[in-house]
Structures are given as C-alpha cells and as structure tokens.
Amino acid sequence: MDNRPAFDFPRPLLIDGLGLQLREWSDDDVADLVAIYDDPEIDRWTPVPSPFDAVAASAYLAAAEQKGIEGRTVQLAITTDGGQAQGEILLFRNAVDERDLELAYGVGPAHRGRGIATRAVRLAVDFAGRRVGPRRMVLCIENGNTASEGVAKAAGFSLTNDRPVVREAKGREVVLRTWSHDASDTSGSASS
C-alpha cells in the first residue's frame, strides 16, 4: 500500500496558462492517447507498454482515473484549447523522498518541437508549487534522453548530484538522473 501523502485537488482539474490547458482525460481521448503513446520514442524512454493500441489506452485511462481518485497521481492531457490531447503530464510523490514531487510527460510525435512539453512542465511546476508545496520538484531522466534533458533545462530544472534512481521497466534496468526545480521559484502564469 502507498502511504505517501495524497493529493486533494478539486475535480475536474484544469490548469490553464502559457497557451495550454492541462485537463483530465476522458473516454473520448482514446484515439489521441494511442497517437501519443504508440511511438518508438515513447517506447524507448517511458515505461508505457508498446505496442499501445485502443485496448491499452482504455486500460491506461482506467488506471489513471483510479490513481486520481485515490489521490496518488495526477495525469492530465496536454491541450492547447481543452480539445485534442497532444501529450500528457503526470505529477506524483517521488519514491525516494515523499517531500519531493516528481513530474513526467510525453508529447505525441505530431506535436513535438513546439515547446508544448516545456510549457506544460512550467504550468505543472507553478500549480504544484502553489497547491502542494513540495520541497522541490524533480524530473527523473534516463541518460541519453537529450529531448527530455532539453525540456528540463528550458523549464528551469538543473541536474542534481543525487544518486541515480534505478527502476525496472520493460524487463530492463533503467538508470535515471534527477533534475531539480527549486519549489520556492514558481514564477509562471497559470490559473486553476
């Protein structure tokens, strides 16, 4: 059982700013979720199952809803107008230190290169800094994932000297480096 502090956000959760709307997933998002996650880069760098089809997407959304109800994880669709999901951002307590809030994200291949991930991370950092008050916000990024490292830098994260985080994903050991954002610096323009 997960004993980490639960999130208690108003639902439906909507975070708006920086030209984006981060919103809760719905059953209508299955096709968009498949377009986001059925991708070689997502498969390479995330624990999301591959291939990722409509059945996997439906199961993923059901699990996300349950974790949200339990207050363990916040999983939001990244949109520009509340409509088509172009990516996803997740917030959850860090397994190494529950005082830290970890973020993860994925952007579909058709929507990359537009700064969507960076803006979504900035919005989530601002929101979480105001609503949760973590010691710090972290991204755990596998060495060599230069796209995610670029997002981390652009969103104001710095590589830490923390011990590498080792996780098991898809039958292999994954070594992640921790990037930290000072939780006291939540400058941004988000509203919720």
Side-chain angles (χ1 to χ4, degrees):
M1 180 172 175
D2 191 345
N3 292 324
R4 292 178 280 186
F7 299 120
D8 186 22
F9 299 131
R11 295 193 68 186
L13 182 57
L14 176 69
I15 305 170
D16 188 38
L18 302 176
L20 297 177
Q21 287 185 352
L22 310 180
R23 64 162 173 81
E24 292 187 26
W25 289 101
S26 78
D27 291 338
D28 295 334
D29 292 318
V30 169
D32 290 341
L33 193 60
V34 170
I36 293 165
Y37 281 127
D38 193 36
D39 170 68
E41 286 300 301
I42 295 286
D43 180 40
R44 179 177 179 191
W45 300 114
T46 75
V48 175
S50 180
F52 195 83
D53 57 15
V55 172
S58 294
Y60 184 88
L61 289 176
E65 182 178 15
Q66 185 60 40
K67 288 185 276 187
I69 290 168
E70 295 169 1
R72 293 185 295 138
T73 305
V74 175
Q75 291 180 242
L76 301 171
I78 302 170
T79 77
T80 55
D81 59 4
Q84 179 189 20
Q86 299 175 13
E88 177 179 44
I89 189 153
L90 298 86
L91 299 110
F92 49 97
R93 298 279 178 186
N94 181 263
V96 176
D97 189 327
E98 70 182 29
R99 297 173 299 167
D100 294 342
L101 187 63
E102 188 171 338
L103 290 87
Y105 52 84
V107 172
H111 308 288
R112 293 183 188 139
R114 301 180 193 164
I116 291 170
T118 299
R119 288 184 285 149
V121 168
R122 286 180 178 161
L123 278 176
V125 163
D126 179 65
F127 173 81
R130 290 182 291 112
R131 300 295 298 266
V132 179
R135 174 182 70 143
R136 62 184 183 159
M137 283 167 259
V138 298
L139 297 168
C140 294
I141 301 173
E142 188 172 357
N143 192 32
N145 187 343
T146 56
S148 281
E149 290 172 353
V151 168
K153 290 174 189 174
F157 284 73
S158 301
L159 186 60
T160 70
N161 291 324
D162 293 7
R163 291 179 61 125
V165 175
V166 179
R167 294 184 179 152
E168 181 77 20
K170 299 178 184 174
R172 70 179 181 97
E173 184 177 271
V174 178
V175 179
L176 306 168
R177 298 184 308 163
T178 300
W179 294 71
S180 174
H181 191 283
D182 181 354
S184 66
D185 177 17
T186 58
S187 55
S189 57
S191 60
S192 60

